[in-house]
Amino acid sequence: MELYFLGTGAGMPSKERNVTSVMLNLLAERNVYWMFDCGEGTQHQILRAPVKISKLEKLFITHLHGDHIYGLPGLMSSRSYQGGDTPFTIYGPVGIREFVETALRISDSHLGYQTKIVEFEEKAEFVLYEDEQFIVKAAPLVHRVDSYGYRIEEKPQKGKLDAAKLKELGIASGPLYGKIKKGEAVTLEDGTVLEASRFIGPPVPGRIATILGDTQPCEHAITLARQADVLVHEATFAEDRKELAMQYDHSTAIDAARTAQEAGAKMLVLTHISSRYQDAEVERLREEARTIHDETYLAHDHFRLDIPARKPSTAADEAAPL
């Protein structure tokens, strides 16, 4: 799992930053990418990124402000031109269907793949998507329009097979290894039963990434970020513009850091930076946030962040309260 930031600006493009779009690289896990928001010019950013648009599987829209959706019609057309023929799903607040269908109809665009649009308007946290690998939860935030945050939870992975222990019993690598790794008990020719649990290490907890839309500080932001490996949070303003942030339902870098600290998030990434912060001035945002949350990163266009795998669970971990 890796985050790749295609755009990190707020409101409109600037010389240093395009508007919002973040990729979650899941090539190792399922050979696809998931995208979060698609501001104007996102497909141009992809041309300069190690990203294959044909492998884009899902797009999660946080809210319907233009700097988060204006790039979507062009992205969808380009995906078709570049060999994307697998199903593509768009998730977002009510209104995203009308926006997409209207843009494609008026422009007479024809896509070479199946598109599914999932709209929602829930007022509490809910499970948006789940399969055998991931759970995606969403919850409403506090903004001028309906805005949502997403929590992507990787499900626990099976522990590692202890091949050395099996070899000590004289069992060579082969079909029995596969059965044990699947959790099946194996009976040897002499009648000995090998319980799989004896030869499989502790499960590996899944990673958690939280990506929020535009928001003021709020309880749902904390809930979505609880014990996350990484929290991606807007930091539109520095603290001396706190009143302006409140007026427009945005957050400061300090607000983001407080949310990360209260949620127990390991890493904080600041994005959605106002164009008023250019060159060295932008470092103020990271410096302010780090007074509260030390492991804070300031995203820039084409910034990438690896989300390290968690360590295997132990009995002590399972007993420890959250």
Side-chain angles (χ1 to χ4, degrees):
M1 293 178 70
E2 177 192 70
L3 290 173
Y4 191 99
F5 290 78
L6 293 165
T8 57
M12 61 182 183
S14 68
K15 291 182 179 179
E16 293 187 350
R17 298 174 184 273
N18 197 51
V19 285
T20 299
S21 183
V22 184
M23 281 282 204
L24 180 61
N25 181 338
L26 298 175
L27 292 179
E29 290 76 17
R30 56 200 292 154
N31 198 33
V32 298
Y33 297 98
W34 289 358
M35 179 183 283
F36 295 80
D37 287 335
C38 185
E40 175 187 356
T42 292
Q43 64 173 318
H44 295 278
Q45 296 290 83
I46 289 176
L47 294 175
R48 296 185 289 275
V51 171
K52 291 185 178 180
I53 196 172
S54 61
K55 290 185 178 293
L56 181 58
E57 181 187 47
K58 298 179 183 296
L59 169 61
F60 299 86
I61 298 295
T62 62
H63 63 293
L64 302 184
H65 277 157
D67 56 329
H68 295 256
I69 65 171
Y70 282 165
L72 183 49
L75 177 89
M76 295 178 71
S77 296
S78 293
R79 184 180 188 270
S80 190
Y81 295 147
Q82 295 182 26
D85 56 7
T86 54
F88 178 56
T89 304
I90 300 169
Y91 302 87
V94 171
I96 191 62
R97 180 187 301 278
E98 181 181 3
F99 174 77
V100 170
E101 292 180 348
T102 300
L104 295 179
R105 184 183 72 253
I106 292 176
S107 62
D108 195 28
S109 298
H110 300 280
L111 306 180
Y113 54 87
Q114 178 184 0
T115 301
K116 179 181 179 181
I117 300 176
V118 179
E119 291 187 320
F120 48 82
E121 53 184 350
E122 276 78 359
K123 301 303 180 184
E125 183 179 351
F126 64 101
V127 174
L128 177 62
Y129 172 80
E130 182 174 4
D131 63 13
E132 69 281 357
Q133 287 182 296
F134 292 95
I135 301 175
V136 179
K137 298 177 181 178
L141 305 172
V142 177
H143 194 48
R144 288 173 293 155
V145 299
D146 289 344
S147 183
Y148 288 80
Y150 297 102
R151 177 184 175 93
I152 305 93
E153 299 179 1
E154 182 184 31
K155 291 187 176 180
Q157 301 174 34
K158 290 183 178 179
K160 186 177 179 181
L161 180 70
D162 192 341
K165 186 181 291 186
L166 288 169
K167 289 179 180 178
E168 289 177 1
L169 297 175
I171 303 172
S173 179
L176 293 182
Y177 279 42
K179 290 184 178 181
I180 292 173
K181 194 167 185 179
K182 290 179 182 178
E184 300 175 11
V186 171
T187 302
L188 302 181
E189 292 181 359
D190 63 3
T192 302
V193 178
L194 303 181
E195 297 293 340
S197 58
R198 292 175 51 200
F199 305 97
I200 297 178
V204 179
R207 290 159 286 187
I208 300 171
T210 299
I211 300 174
L212 303 183
D214 293 1
T215 186
Q216 281 193 22
C218 64
E219 284 301 315
H220 279 151
I222 296 170
T223 301
L224 290 171
R226 188 77 65 194
Q227 303 302 317
D229 293 275
V230 58
L231 166 62
V232 178
H233 198 299
E234 69 134 299
T236 310
F237 299 103
E239 194 62 19
D240 62 354
R241 301 272 182 169
K242 175 66 176 176
E243 291 187 6
L244 194 60
M246 294 175 62
Q247 179 181 347
Y248 290 101
D249 285 340
H250 282 296
S251 293
T252 66
I254 289 286
D255 291 332
R258 286 177 177 147
T259 295
Q261 191 75 1
E262 187 166 348
K266 295 177 184 176
M267 295 184 287
L268 170 65
V269 182
L270 306 177
T271 188
H272 200 266
I273 310 302
S274 169
S275 59
R276 61 172 38 84
Y277 303 106
Q278 298 288 328
D279 302 319
E281 182 73 7
V282 75
E283 289 298 323
R284 288 177 53 200
L285 301 175
R286 175 166 50 191
E287 291 170 1
E288 288 183 359
R290 282 185 171 175
T291 63
I292 294 174
H293 192 277
D294 186 60
E295 195 164 357
T296 296
Y297 301 87
L298 180 65
H300 54 79
D301 289 11
H302 303 289
F303 171 71
R304 58 202 304 172
L305 179 72
D306 181 59
I307 306 175
R310 293 189 172 190
K311 295 180 180 180
S313 299
T314 65
D317 294 332
E318 295 174 0
L322 292 177

